[in-house]
Amino acid sequence: MSTPRKNKFFATLDTFVTVFGSAAAVSAAVEAGRAPKAKHLSALGIEPSAFRSIGR
């Protein structure tokens, strides 16, 4: 009975870790003057092509 609850907890935890990690990677890339990877932008819900057109 507790298995579905544990699975939901771990799925939520995995999502949190993925989003937090992507935010840290994008932040580090921008601070270093590099373009962040598309997979990290997508994980944050940011369209990579739209991000690259910022400031043009």
Side-chain angles (χ1 to χ4, degrees):
M1 190 134 213
S2 64
T3 302
R5 183 175 178 189
K6 286 182 182 178
N7 287 339
K8 184 176 179 181
F9 172 75
F10 287 120
T12 302
L13 183 62
D14 180 55
T15 301
F16 175 76
V17 170
T18 300
V19 169
F20 187 77
S22 291
V26 169
S27 175
V30 170
E31 286 183 359
R34 296 179 282 114
K37 292 184 179 181
K39 70 176 184 175
H40 294 301
L41 291 170
S42 296
L44 296 173
I46 301 170
E47 189 68 37
S49 59
F51 183 85
R52 287 182 175 78
S53 69
I54 294 173
R56 292 184 183 169

